Structure formats: structure tokens, C-alpha cells
Amino acid sequence: MAMMNPVYTSRQDMLDEVITLGEEIVASSNLEVLRENANLNGESFSGKMSKFGSEYAKWYANHFVMPKPLVQAIQDNIVYVHDLDQYAIGTTNCIFIPFDKLLREGFNTGNGSVRPPNSIMTAMALVAIIFQSQQNAQYGGVSANKLDHDLAPYVTKSFVKYFRKGLDYFEEGDSAADYGLITMARSDLQVQYPRAFKYAVKETESETLQAAESLIHNLNTMSSRAGGQIPFTSINYGTCTSIEGQLVISSLLAATMRGLGSGETPIFPIQIFKCKQGVNQQPGEPNYELFLKAAECSAKRLYPNFANLDAPLNLMYYDPANPDTEFATMGCRTRVLSDRFGRNHLSGKGNLSFNTLNLVKLGLEHGIALGLRQTADEQGFYRELEHYMDIALDGLLHRFRIQSSQKAKASDFMMREGVWEGGEHLNPEDTVGELLKHGSLSIGFIGLAECMKAMYGKHHGEDTDVYRKAYNLIAFMRDYCDRQSERHNLNITLFATPAEGLSGKFTKRDRADYGEIPGVVDREYYTNSFHIPVYYHISAAKKIELEAPFHGLCNAGAISYIELNGNARSNPAAFLRIIQYALSQQVSYFSINHPIDRCSGCGYEGIIGASCPSCNASEQDVHIRRLRRVTGYLTGDFQTRFNAAKQAEVRDRLKHST
Amino acid sequence: MNICGYYPESINEGEGLRAALFISGCRHHCKGCFSPATWNFHYGEPFTPEREQEIIRDIAGNPLLSGVSILGGDPFFSAAEVSAFLDRLREAAGAISAWIYSGYTFEELTRDAKSPEYGLLSRCQVLVDGRYVDELRDPSLLYRGSSNQRLIDIPASLAQHGIVEWRPTFSF
């Protein structure tokens, strides 16, 4: 039997824990456990089944696998290990998928092999299959970092097919003849064979739109992740300037705006529009119209978000000739661009795991909020911060050793097909460590705002001195990560944690330990990463200006949000201006939150109060589906799927307009 | 003059992000008005010089604003005071675009070129005009409540002596 972790002593207590775990899941009696993840219906059979697995796996990792100081730090409510259920078996977190390679070469899902597609319709169908296959080899998000570039060749293939058909139909030429490289940009062919060309354009446009619609439907319906969830997919696009690439982008946006079966907003994939000066930011640039369309789509559907290729931390890796070097994100915010082993591109690697620090508790222990001292004990704070960063890092390194020792066959699709770059050269029995080193190990943080409150009585939105201290704190953490990268020769990065389940967990424990402390522990959640609290009165511009510098520090990823109240879809000017302002301030990744309510009676979407403004039906009589974003993901209805902490956060969000 | 509301940033009262200032007092008394409390000229808080300065500073310091929107009540019942506010705002913050909402129609407001109402109108760029008519209520309308109400491009209309409707700069 494995060694029991000595943090736990009584065997009877252990047994009680295991029994309680099972009982709570069976009876659906602990909603916090069931709603830990808003995208999993924890009250369904498959949800419960996966809970059994994951809750026991966590328990096992706690008792038998993790280093003792890490377990103690978790017990002390200072460190949190994300996706703990995957710790013991060495699964990795998220990945950018090289769709170009997989589609070009074909692939094998493990149950059957697939030929390279010959049309955009098939290519988009295969994108869904690839996402699904990869999702089962890992636990975090699966992302396409340049889907427009990846899919453009298949638009061309469709076009060629239609063009040759058209030559036949309209008797304009010989369908089998050699016309050189046929593309939608061939104006000479357009002049010479106008009818065939026009026919081919029309057919290709319609096929691409249909393909995009089916992709988005697929990604919202395939409950293949752990049986009960849809894969956590992200698609990035926006910079491909070929006619074919532009068609991919406009079709994805059009399909998203059109919505799902009854017109409702798609929950997945997360969509990210990549913004680049010279490509899509000013009138006259090749993809500017697509940027406007992306803003329109975001105003209607909350996606796409906006990635800033011009922010200094992203621009330094940007090579216009290689779209794989364009900053893109995964899931809610993960960023993996640089690699100390030279793979300074995105696809073929990802984040391996991350541990998050509860800055609030450290602030409480060393600040003035508890009334134990007049001025903050900064020395003590930094000493303890570094101590816990050491523990968090040791945990990551320990987990990395477990991950590295896994055999290629354990993440079969990912390695065999080279989804993780180089995996295709491994034998099933080879271990994956040499390849995983290209991924990132990240230390995250939560509650900078409450930490500052606890330390100094004000948060970083309220006071410029406190702001400087807050910035220095995060800079210290980044510097720590940089130093440890050198020391361990690994990619160790700083992460602005997207705390979903976590946002309330740390808080609940701290409240039990310290009581309600005004401005620190008086809500049900801690503020995400370095964000200015959602309840604090501040202008949109000021929030952007204050949060922007932190993006440069968080090299494992960060996002900033602005909350808008009102019908964003009717005011594109405001929407565009806010996005471009955020980009100009060097925010790396940005999005605007605004409420989308949907009346299930008449299908009206917009802002709905107690009754529908369109059909006048009252909330008592018809269900009003209220769509909100939580830590980067959309969920069906925040009132039934969010955990209590995130419900509270949504209620508190102070809008920048009312 | 009293004000009965101030939003430093809003997307609901005109194009772009705008500061919205609500002036107390209205004698139109439209049936179905969504805020009859604001008919009272004493409703809300006094628009003191300090409050005015605060709002001017707010607007001048916000790079994201496309302008200011003035609503009510009906600001044209306090035309001279609102005009003076706009003048002081522009003195401090430069050429700020102003949208203004009124129960009066453009035709009514332009009857007398020497009136304070005309003075206020001519200081603004877009007028949302006309009384709210409950029977014509349409929630899908942009920036207004009932379909008789119009979005009017004030400078163009004054120049042409006729109604020129305002068109959005961007439309989705």
C-alpha cells in the first residue's frame, strides 16, 4: 500500500471522508461539489459518475501522492492545486492543436484512420473530431490558435472542385485541364470563365457558412468530455488575409451570430479575434471589416474576445510570416508563447499544470485589517509569500515528474498523432518528459484587491500608493518565476488565475477562520487575479488603465473585462471604442461582459427585467434564460449552473453604465 | 435646478459611451411615463456648482466618452440653466458632443430663434424629440421609447430648415 501522507492520521477519519464523499454525490446533497464547474451538470448520472471518479482521485492525491508541505499549504488555505483529480495519474492541462498538420496528413483517432479532407465542409467536421479526440487525452482546454490559416486551404479545395464543375456545367472550358494554382484570388480566371467562377464563389461561400454552422453546433452538442461535458474548445482567428481565410472568419462569425437551433447564443467554442495593427485595426487594412463584424458578434453573443498581438509581451514573438507565432489564447486565458527550448510558437504545446496562491490570507496575516498592527508587516508578508511560492512550485515540479514519467500510450491521440509536437516520434512505451518540457508550469494568484485591503486598508483601485505596492507585489511574483525558470531550466510562468470553483473556496475558509472583515472577507468570493473589484465604482477607461500593466507581468495569461449594462448590440460605437482603447493600453486579452437574457416564450434576446419587453410575458410564467460569463466561459443559465460564489459575483458586478 | 440622475458612463442614451445627466422637472406628463417621479422640479438633488464641477471633471477626464446626453424630466423646462452648464462644460473639456431628449418636437423648439429653448437646442448635436406615446411603445427602437419619437441631426436640420434624421456612425 502507498504511504499515507502524515498530515492525516486517523484511519477512521479517512474512512469517514470516503463514505461522506460518496453519500453526498449519490444524494446530490452538496451543491458546491456538484456545481464546482458550471459546465458540468453534476446532478445528472454521468455528472455523478465523473464526480465519484474525480472526488476519490483528489482524496487519493491528498493522502498518498502530494508532498507534505503542499498538502499542509492546501490545508492552511493558502495554496490551491487545480485539477487535483488529475494529479496522481499525470495528465496534462491544455494544448494548442496543430490543425494544419493533422488535416494535411490525416490522422487516426485510435478507432479508425481519417484521410485528409478535400472540402471545407469535411475539414470543419474533422476539426470537431480532433477537438473531441484530444480532449480525452488531457483535462484543460483545447484550442485552435489560427483556425483561419489552418482552414483556408480547404476552402480553396472546395473552390477548385466547384470551379471545375462550373466549367463543365456552363461549357466554358475543360474541367480536367491544368489552370495552374486555382484560388479565389485568380482574377484572370474570373475574367476568362466568368460563369464558372461566379458559380464556384457562390457555392464555396455557401458551403463554408454551412460548415461553420455545423462546427459550432457540433462543439455545443458533443458531450464527450468525461461523459458529461462538451469539450472546452477555443478558436482563435482574425489575421488570415487570403480571400479563403477571410471567408472562414466571416462564416464563423455569421454562424455564431445566427446562433444555435432556436437562435440561442452558443456556449462553445470560446472565440478569440486576433487584433493586429496593419491587418485589421484601421479602415483600409485588409481585415478591418472582419474586425467590425467580430465586434458586432461580440455585442450579440459575448464572443469573440479580443487578443492583442501588438501588446509588447506578444509582439516580441510575432513573425508576420508565421501565424503560429501570433499570440492566441486557450480556454479562458492561458498563454504559452515563449519556450526556453526554442519552440517560440503556439501549436504543439500547452500548459502542464498550475497552482494558485491565496494572496488574501497572506494579506490578513501581515496587514492591518485584523487590528493587530498599525502598519503592514511587508517583510513578513514577502517572506511568507516566497515560502508559499516555493511550496507551490515544488508541487508543480513534483507533478511535472509524475507527468514526465507517463508513457506515450497514456495520452494516445495526443502523442501518436503529434498533437503535442514530437509525440509522433515516440513509441507507445516511451516516456513523454523530454517533450513536456516545452510546456509551461504556472503559479497563479487570486484576490490582489482583497490582499491590498487587508494589508493597507485600501485596494489598488482606490489609492495610487497602494496601486504601486500591488504592482510591485505581482512584479515580485513574476521575478520569482523568472528566477526559478533559470534555476530549474523549465518554463515557469505567472498566471492571473481564472478562479471559478476557487473564487468561493478560499473565501469560505477564511471567513470561518477570521470572521467577516469589511472589504476583505465580507463577500462570498475573492476578486479574480489582479482585477479591480467588480463592485467598485470606476470608469471603464480607468479600469483598463489600471489593469493593463499587470498583463505585461502575467506571462502565463490574463484577461481584463469591462462590464456593460444595457443592450450592447444596439450601440456598436461604444463597443468598438472600448475594445480599441483596451488594445491601445497594451491589454493583452480583453472582453466586454454584458447581459444577454432570452425569453423562452417569444425568443426575444436582450435585456429582460421581470417581464419580457417584447411579448410582455412575466418571469413567473415563462422561463427567462439569463446568460452570463463566468471566468471566461459562458454557461447556460447562471442561476441554475453557477456555484454560490459566482452567483454572488454576478449580482455584485457594477456596470459601467446603467 | 435639480438633477434626478447621473450616470458617468452609459450605452443606452445615445451612440457611444456617454455621460447621462437627468434634469428634474417635466410638464408633459405623458401617459405611461417610466419615471413620473421626475416630473417634480424639486425631485432629486440640487445641481450645485460643486456637483457641476464634479461632473465636468468626470467628463473631461474620461477618454472613452463620445459625449454627454441630457435627459429628464425634460431639460427644456430648464433651458437657460442647461445651456449655461453646456457652455461651462465645453470651456473646461473642449468640444463635447451633446445629445438631448425632449417631449417637445423639433418644430416646437425652433419656433422662436430668440428663445432659451432654441438656444439650448442649437448647442446640441442630436435631439430625441416628441412626447412618449404609450400606444406606440416599441422596445426594439434605438435610444427611444415610442415610434413617434425621432432622432434628429440638429446642426444639419437647422442649416436646412427641415428635419434631417440622425444616422448611426456604425451599424451592425
Side-chain angles (χ1 to χ4, degrees):
Chain A
M1 186 187 165
M3 281 291 289
M4 189 170 83
N5 212 317
V7 174
Y8 301 93
T9 46
S10 155
R11 298 185 76 86
Q12 184 56 45
D13 287 351
M14 284 176 52
L15 186 59
D16 287 350
E17 274 175 36
V18 179
I19 293 168
T20 308
L21 271 180
E23 282 174 350
E24 285 184 348
I25 294 165
V26 171
S28 299
S29 60
N30 187 340
L31 284 182
E32 287 311 296
V33 168
L34 296 176
R35 290 189 186 171
E36 190 175 344
N37 180 326
N39 283 297
L40 175 72
N41 178 359
E43 288 159 82
S44 68
F45 287 137
S46 58
K48 286 182 183 183
M49 197 61 227
S50 95
K51 276 285 158 197
F52 258 109
S54 77
E55 289 304 313
Y56 176 71
K58 284 185 205 170
W59 183 90
Y60 178 79
N62 255 310
H63 287 77
F64 301 107
V65 181
M66 285 192 288
K68 184 186 165 204
L70 182 60
V71 175
Q72 189 63 55
I74 297 169
Q75 293 277 300
D76 294 344
N77 208 38
I78 297 177
V79 175
Y80 184 81
V81 175
H82 293 262
D83 301 288
L84 177 57
D85 50 350
Q86 308 277 345
Y87 194 117
I89 55 174
T91 332
T92 52
N93 186 6
C94 46
I95 199 166
F96 289 103
I97 298 174
F99 281 102
D100 48 355
K101 178 173 105 103
L102 289 163
L103 293 173
R104 192 175 56 238
E105 296 170 5
F107 58 91
N108 189 315
T109 62
N111 299 309
S113 63
V114 176
R115 279 188 298 272
N118 280 315
S119 69
I120 184 63
M121 182 57 100
T122 317
M124 289 231 200
L126 293 183
V127 166
I129 304 288
I130 292 168
F131 268 138
Q132 179 183 26
S133 302
Q134 174 57 27
Q135 180 71 85
N136 292 318
Q138 48 151 100
Y139 56 83
V142 281
S143 180
N145 58 308
K146 47 177 174 53
L147 196 61
D148 43 356
H149 295 274
D150 294 340
L151 289 176
Y154 304 95
V155 175
T156 307
K157 282 192 172 188
S158 284
F159 180 74
V160 171
K161 213 157 50 179
Y162 289 119
F163 179 68
R164 290 191 185 282
K165 237 188 221 177
L167 291 174
D168 244 2
Y169 287 174
F170 302 106
E171 297 177 354
E172 280 186 331
D174 175 5
S175 64
D178 180 10
Y179 293 93
L181 195 64
I182 302 171
T183 70
M184 294 177 84
R186 285 283 299 276
S187 47
D188 57 324
L189 292 180
Q190 187 177 7
V191 173
Q192 228 176 327
Y193 312 100
R195 299 172 74 187
F197 199 91
K198 186 177 173 191
Y199 161 77
V201 168
K202 290 276 172 214
E203 287 295 316
T204 306
E205 284 174 352
S206 125
E207 187 188 322
T208 309
L209 179 60
Q210 264 187 306
E213 280 207 307
S214 91
L215 175 64
I216 285 167
H217 274 76
N218 275 333
L219 295 184
N220 281 282
T221 48
M222 42 162 71
S223 288
S224 57
R225 180 185 151 115
Q229 300 176 70
I230 47 180
F232 277 31
T233 52
S234 305
I235 58 176
N236 295 258
Y237 51 76
T239 55
C240 186
T241 53
S242 69
I243 296 174
E244 289 84 352
Q246 290 173 333
L247 184 56
V248 170
I249 301 167
S250 65
S251 301
L252 285 166
L253 290 169
T256 305
M257 283 191 269
R258 204 180 279 187
L260 298 181
S262 53
E264 71 265 37
T265 296
I267 305 301
F268 278 108
I270 294 184
Q271 299 187 36
I272 300 106
F273 189 89
K274 298 195 281 185
C275 302
K276 179 78 193 73
Q277 294 288 342
V279 177
N280 55 29
Q281 286 301 293
Q282 303 295 330
E285 294 175 0
N287 284 8
Y288 181 65
E289 292 301 319
L290 291 169
F291 170 65
L292 295 184
K293 192 164 179 168
E296 174 185 2
C297 186
S298 191
K300 287 203 169 92
R301 301 299 192 183
L302 291 161
Y303 291 138
N305 303 335
F306 298 89
N308 188 359
L309 274 51
D310 293 302
L313 82 162
N314 300 328
L315 195 60
M316 62 188 287
Y317 298 102
Y318 175 74
D319 169 6
N322 180 5
D324 204 13
T325 62
E326 294 171 356
F327 165 62
T329 80
M330 176 149 39
C332 29
R333 66 190 71 176
T334 317
R335 178 178 180 280
V336 284
L337 195 42
S338 65
D339 170 28
R340 57 192 297 113
F341 308 105
R343 292 184 184 171
N344 292 318
H345 55 252
L346 283 92
S347 67
K349 62 180 187 174
N351 177 259
L352 299 170
S353 67
F354 64 106
N355 290 341
T356 290
L357 264 69
N358 177 2
L359 293 181
V360 189
K361 176 152 183 182
L362 295 177
L364 280 165
E365 287 292 328
H366 300 279
I368 59 170
L370 297 179
L372 302 175
R373 58 178 72 80
Q374 294 295 311
T375 52
D377 166 24
E378 293 183 354
Q379 264 194 335
F381 175 87
Y382 274 99
R383 196 167 51 239
E384 209 165 41
L385 175 65
E386 185 150 4
H387 170 69
Y388 281 105
M389 288 190 85
D390 284 342
I391 291 174
L393 176 64
D394 283 346
L396 293 173
L397 296 171
H398 175 258
R399 189 172 185 166
F400 178 62
R401 285 194 291 277
I402 298 176
Q403 292 168 327
S404 294
S405 65
Q406 300 308 310
K407 291 177 176 172
K409 65 181 181 185
S411 45
D412 191 27
F413 181 76
M414 170 161 114
M415 290 300 166
R416 189 191 60 237
E417 301 303 323
V419 182
W420 192 285
E421 189 174 335
E424 66 274 29
H425 304 305
L426 296 181
N427 290 316
E429 297 293 329
D430 290 345
T431 55
V432 297
E434 253 317 282
L435 293 180
L436 290 192
K437 71 178 187 190
H438 296 283
S440 62
L441 300 166
S442 306
I443 296 179
F445 61 93
I446 180 172
L448 180 61
E450 289 82 6
C451 172
M452 292 297 107
K453 275 281 215 203
M455 289 284 280
Y456 309 109
K458 286 179 175 164
H459 63 68
H460 56 307
E462 293 176 299
D463 184 286
T464 49
D465 280 343
V466 175
Y467 181 82
R468 211 181 52 246
K469 287 176 189 295
Y471 181 85
N472 290 342
L473 164 54
I474 303 307
F476 172 88
M477 295 183 77
R478 167 62 186 276
D479 181 59
Y480 174 92
C481 292
D482 288 352
R483 276 187 285 124
Q484 298 296 342
S485 293
E486 290 302 319
R487 184 168 158 216
H488 297 282
N489 197 24
L490 286 167
N491 298 305
I492 295 160
T493 49
L494 183 65
F495 192 39
T497 297
E500 182 186 338
L502 183 56
S503 61
K505 274 182 201 157
F506 275 150
T507 319
K508 203 168 171 182
R509 275 282 310 281
D510 286 347
R511 186 173 2 204
D513 292 347
Y514 298 96
E516 294 224 353
I517 313 223
V520 184
V521 203
D522 56 353
R523 291 183 164 80
E524 289 175 73
Y525 57 90
Y526 287 152
T527 296
N528 225 318
S529 64
F530 54 71
H531 291 170
I532 305 293
V534 291
Y535 50 81
Y536 181 66
H537 282 268
I538 188 169
S539 72
K542 195 76 194 159
K543 185 172 196 287
I544 289 168
E545 287 158 22
L546 291 177
E547 291 186 8
F550 290 99
H551 282 251
L553 296 175
C554 297
N555 55 344
I559 189 167
S560 280
Y561 290 112
I562 287 297
E563 311 290 333
L564 280 184
N565 197 3
N567 209 343
R569 56 183 77 188
S570 63
N571 197 335
F575 215 77
L576 275 172
R577 185 141 180 185
I578 295 170
I579 294 164
Q580 290 198 306
Y581 187 73
L583 298 176
S584 76
Q585 295 296 306
Q586 322 292 14
V587 165
S588 173
Y589 185 34
F590 182 72
S591 199
I592 297 177
N593 285 331
H594 52 92
I596 297 181
D597 301 329
R598 182 182 176 84
C599 171
S600 54
C602 68
Y604 173 86
E605 269 199 353
I607 311 286
I608 305 179
S611 63
C612 172
S614 178
C615 71
N616 272 322
S618 143
E619 189 172 20
Q620 262 84 51
D621 304 325
V622 290
H623 178 60
I624 309 289
R625 185 172 177 265
R626 298 182 191 278
L627 190 66
R628 302 292 183 271
R629 189 192 322 252
V630 54
T631 60
Y633 294 107
L634 302 185
T635 56
D637 185 337
F638 88 94
Q639 292 155 311
T640 56
R641 286 292 186 85
F642 279 20
N643 60 49
K646 276 293 164 189
Q647 285 195 25
E649 195 224 274
V650 170
R651 280 196 301 277
D652 281 1
R653 283 179 189 176
L654 197 101
K655 309 302 187 288
H656 296 279
S657 65
T658 320
Chain B
M1 180 173 88
N2 273 20
I3 59 170
C4 50
Y6 166 62
Y7 301 132
E9 297 178 329
S10 174
I11 58 167
N12 302 322
E13 288 89 16
E15 186 177 63
L17 199 64
R18 312 185 77 85
L21 185 64
F22 295 77
I23 313 294
S24 302
C26 182
R27 297 193 187 95
H28 297 303
H29 300 186
C30 303
K31 187 182 128 221
C33 171
F34 78 105
S35 54
T38 65
W39 297 349
N40 184 338
F41 284 81
H42 301 292
Y43 184 72
E45 52 162 321
F47 195 54
T48 60
E50 294 73 37
R51 187 71 175 120
E52 178 178 298
Q53 271 316 303
E54 216 175 274
I55 289 173
I56 288 176
R57 267 200 308 275
D58 239 26
I59 295 173
N62 191 336
L64 279 175
L65 292 186
S66 297
V68 62
S69 291
I70 300 176
L71 311 90
D74 185 335
F76 283 92
F77 290 112
S78 314
E81 288 154 288
V82 175
S83 286
F85 161 69
L86 277 177
D87 291 346
R88 285 189 291 267
L89 172 66
R90 286 174 178 152
E91 205 173 298
I96 300 270
S97 132
W99 281 46
I100 196 152
Y101 282 67
S102 180
Y104 289 118
T105 60
F106 181 83
E107 290 80 0
E108 287 169 327
L109 291 169
T110 50
R111 224 165 265 160
D112 175 6
K114 290 187 189 64
S115 69
E117 289 79 14
Y118 188 93
L120 175 55
L121 183 75
S122 63
R123 282 172 168 80
C124 299
Q125 280 62 51
V126 175
L127 171 73
V128 184
D129 87 335
R131 299 161 67 112
Y132 169 71
V133 180
D134 214 17
E135 292 73 30
L136 299 176
R137 173 180 177 273
D138 179 353
S140 70
L141 292 169
L142 203 55
Y143 310 130
R144 59 205 193 276
S146 57
S147 59
N148 61 302
Q149 297 173 317
R150 301 171 295 182
L151 300 174
I152 295 171
D153 181 331
I154 299 170
S157 301
L158 290 179
Q160 298 188 15
H161 304 289
I163 303 289
V164 178
E165 288 208 29
W166 174 84
R167 294 267 168 252
T169 320
F170 291 102
S171 61
F172 283 161

